[in-house]
Amino acid sequence: MTSDTGSPGGRPRRLLRMAAAALGVLALVACATPAARNVVPETEVGEAEPLDGLPVRHWANAAPKDVIQREQLRVAQYRASQRLKGEKTYDVLALSGGAWDGAFGAGLLNGWTARGDRPDFEMVTGVSTGALMASFVFLGPQYDAQLKQMYTEFKTNDLVVYTIASGILGSSPSVADSKPLANIIARYVTRDFLREVAAEYKTGRRLYVVTTNLDAQRPVVWDMGMIAARDTPQSLELFRKVLLASASVPALFPPVRIPVTVNGTEHEELHVDGGATTEIYVAPLDMPARELVRQHVRRDQRIKFYVIWNGKVDPEWEPVKASTVSIAGRSISTLIKYQGLNDLARIYQFSQKVDGDYYLAFIPKDFQEERNEIFDTDYMSKLYGLGYRLGRDGYDWSRKPPNQ
């Protein structure tokens, strides 16, 4: 759950900066704690598959080799489900990282439901905290209550167990344990939940989540509907692991180990927060967009890209202490912000390639509440309430990315 550059209270900021500084310390002690895993060889990294050879993922920064076949399957599913006949627009929703600030997107979407004109999105993508939101949103307003609960009821102690000493000394790969978050994911993502996702997938709708493959140093897009459609204990475990990995802040939470197979040999990949490489995602720019759109969007159908950025887009003033931890933390948060702004611009470029409409929502700059802990339910409830009111009253979407 990638953090953004808000104005949190002192203790949460110190903890996040400690995690950032720990990156350097962990690099120094890594030689004392070698990972006991069979890494995928560099020459075979593109061939590894985690689920019985099914093509459930591809690199996020390049069009997959079988992109035409993937889209032909989607079109066939659409036609079989009759969805192509009734929809006036083809609606895409992209959800960004933002950690606790995901409360904004959750409120905005639930308020949109209350307004009565929230689309039945044909494609939903999520990165980091957006990945946790995306599954609920994909299944529709019947999961609005769970979405609200996720961002207004869980405190820091419900999500994080600190292991700072072992993390810094090198006996642990992080300064916190992600088991509480994994347990919460498992509470919501059940076998029945997966079957609902699979049912929607079979109508041609798509749910995508982004993680970062640390070995390959590349973003990975996971087709969560295809995983769900496999309907096995292994697919349930993989679905949960992908959500956990996308929300696992490097150094704060441990990377998620995902077993894969290459030519019959078992290996293991390390995946972390999708925000380490991509803050928000729709498609790679080299995707043959026009050709694909002609396949699955009618000539009279308008494609719309709704982009929810769980953060602020304007620079935010903050005096930085002349210390290693403060400088490292501020630098990383600044990097995250500007990486995200670049992603917003790329999505806009893609929308123009397909003659689509671009709609951007973000936290207003006048929201100045502060947190007393990392996941402060009072702060998140206020931000959720703001998003809800804006969605209910009809959000004034920006039609271009910032500074354009």
Side-chain angles (χ1 to χ4, degrees):
M1 293 181 289
T2 310
S3 61
D4 203 278
T5 53
S7 299
R11 182 173 180 270
R13 175 165 293 164
R14 285 194 299 273
L15 289 169
L16 285 179
R17 286 174 174 169
M18 186 178 297
L23 285 169
V25 178
L26 290 173
L28 292 174
V29 301
C31 59
T33 56
R37 63 190 185 95
N38 188 16
V39 179
V40 179
E42 182 179 1
T43 56
E44 298 178 337
V45 69
E47 307 302 320
E49 291 293 351
L51 197 64
D52 299 332
L54 288 177
V56 297
R57 61 186 188 166
H58 60 271
W59 301 121
N61 54 359
K65 295 178 181 179
D66 61 345
V67 61
I68 299 301
Q69 292 88 337
R70 290 172 185 260
E71 291 306 314
Q72 286 173 342
L73 172 62
R74 190 200 320 231
V75 172
Q77 291 172 326
Y78 263 117
R79 288 174 177 163
S81 67
Q82 303 294 308
R83 290 183 66 87
L84 276 175
K85 293 184 178 180
E87 303 291 340
K88 294 182 179 179
T89 59
Y90 185 93
D91 300 300
V92 176
L93 175 67
L95 301 166
S96 81
W100 46 82
D101 285 337
F104 170 75
L108 181 69
L109 287 160
N110 285 3
W112 200 352
T113 298
R115 181 177 171 82
D117 57 354
R118 176 175 137 182
D120 182 15
F121 300 105
E122 307 300 334
M123 184 172 87
V124 180
T125 73
V127 180
S128 196
T129 197
L132 300 180
M133 301 168 59
S135 296
F136 295 132
V137 178
F138 182 73
L139 292 180
Q142 65 267 31
Y143 279 92
D144 280 5
Q146 290 88 333
L147 185 60
K148 179 181 180 181
Q149 183 181 43
M150 177 70 77
Y151 288 95
T152 60
E153 296 185 17
F154 293 116
K155 301 183 178 70
T156 305
N157 291 340
D158 298 320
L159 298 167
V160 180
V161 174
Y162 292 109
T163 56
I164 294 174
S166 59
I168 292 179
L169 292 175
S171 59
S172 171
S174 63
V175 297
D177 188 344
S178 60
K179 286 183 181 178
L181 177 58
N183 290 337
I184 289 173
I185 291 172
R187 181 193 306 180
Y188 291 112
V189 180
T190 63
R191 193 76 175 268
D192 288 339
F193 185 94
L194 243 65
R195 286 170 177 160
E196 291 184 55
V197 172
E200 294 302 317
Y201 167 80
K202 291 174 183 177
T203 70
R205 297 180 67 222
R206 292 295 183 263
L207 170 64
Y208 296 120
V209 164
V210 178
T211 66
T212 297
N213 182 323
L214 280 182
D215 297 312
Q217 205 174 42
R218 294 183 70 178
V220 179
V221 178
W222 298 80
D223 188 333
M224 305 300 280
M226 183 179 288
I227 294 172
R230 191 71 176 86
D231 195 21
T232 64
Q234 292 75 23
S235 63
L236 175 61
E237 181 183 9
L238 179 60
F239 197 104
R240 291 170 174 173
K241 280 190 171 185
V242 171
L243 292 183
L244 179 62
S246 188
S248 293
V249 181
L252 179 61
F253 288 131
V256 175
R257 298 186 173 209
I258 296 182
V260 297
T261 303
V262 183
N263 298 323
T265 302
E266 293 185 358
H267 298 272
E268 191 175 65
E269 297 174 344
L270 290 184
H271 286 256
V272 297
D273 195 328
T277 48
T278 304
E279 278 297 313
I280 191 164
Y281 171 84
V282 166
L285 284 178
D286 70 343
M287 188 77 79
R290 289 182 181 275
E291 293 81 356
L292 297 180
V293 166
R294 279 197 292 269
Q295 286 191 49
H296 64 248
V297 178
R298 297 193 319 265
R299 292 184 181 276
D300 64 334
Q301 207 176 16
R302 192 71 181 171
I303 185 168
K304 296 185 176 182
F305 296 89
Y306 292 97
V307 182
I308 297 180
W309 175 253
N310 293 301
K312 298 176 182 178
V313 298
D314 295 310
E316 297 166 85
W317 168 257
E318 176 193 326
V320 179
K321 294 181 180 180
S323 69
T324 301
V325 172
S326 294
I327 292 170
R330 181 64 166 173
S331 298
I332 290 173
S333 63
T334 300
L335 175 65
I336 289 169
K337 176 185 280 287
Y338 283 92
Q339 174 180 283
L341 294 178
N342 288 334
D343 289 340
L344 295 178
R346 277 193 289 270
I347 293 174
Y348 178 75
Q349 289 178 322
F350 186 82
S351 73
Q352 299 308 291
K353 283 178 64 175
V354 300
D355 298 322
D357 297 326
Y358 178 92
Y359 300 86
L360 171 64
F362 49 85
I363 298 175
K365 62 181 178 181
D366 58 359
F367 181 78
Q368 296 296 328
E369 296 292 331
E370 293 191 357
R371 302 188 319 280
N372 293 315
E373 57 179 300
I374 290 184
F375 295 98
D376 183 333
T377 53
D378 183 57
Y379 169 92
M380 292 190 294
S381 293
K382 290 177 181 177
L383 185 54
Y384 173 91
L386 171 64
Y388 185 90
R389 291 189 296 273
L390 290 173
R392 179 198 60 198
D393 298 340
Y395 187 80
D396 184 17
W397 298 83
S398 175
R399 301 303 302 275
K400 290 186 177 181
N403 304 319
Q404 290 197 26

